Amino acid sequence: MNQINPKKLLNSKWTAVKSINKEKHFLITKVTFDEEGVVILCVIEAIISNRQIEIDWRDLKNIDLWKQGWK
């Protein structure tokens, strides 16, 4: 399991284990918190196409789906 601090998500780099639309490298471009500091929105952007996708940030903890950094 990837260890993630939600406050450090913004601008972090991720590699998809399985390509998503032939894209593997992504950057977190937007993170929104509620009043209690809980993540309510996380947007990940593909590096090549600049395509943006809203994801559940907890999915990034799954090592079968994501690796931290660009590999």
Side-chain angles (χ1 to χ4, degrees):
M1 175 156 53
N2 292 318
Q3 295 294 326
I4 302 171
N5 180 346
K7 297 196 185 298
K8 294 184 179 182
L9 272 175
L10 189 61
N11 296 321
S12 62
K13 299 172 183 174
W14 294 88
T15 300
V17 173
K18 295 179 185 170
S19 296
I20 303 170
N21 292 335
K22 298 182 181 177
E23 299 167 323
K24 289 193 84 153
H25 299 103
F26 296 85
L27 182 71
I28 304 291
T29 57
K30 184 175 183 180
V31 179
T32 305
F33 298 92
D34 67 6
E35 322 63 58
E36 298 169 4
V38 176
V39 176
I40 55 173
L41 174 70
C42 183
V43 177
I44 195 164
E45 181 177 311
I47 297 305
I48 293 176
S49 69
N50 294 332
R51 186 174 55 89
Q52 295 186 342
I53 309 165
E54 284 186 26
I55 64 165
D56 182 348
W57 74 275
R58 291 176 291 262
D59 289 344
L60 298 171
K61 293 181 179 183
N62 187 341
I63 60 174
D64 295 328
L65 299 175
W66 295 98
K67 293 181 184 177
Q68 283 183 305
W70 291 339
K71 300 183 171 63

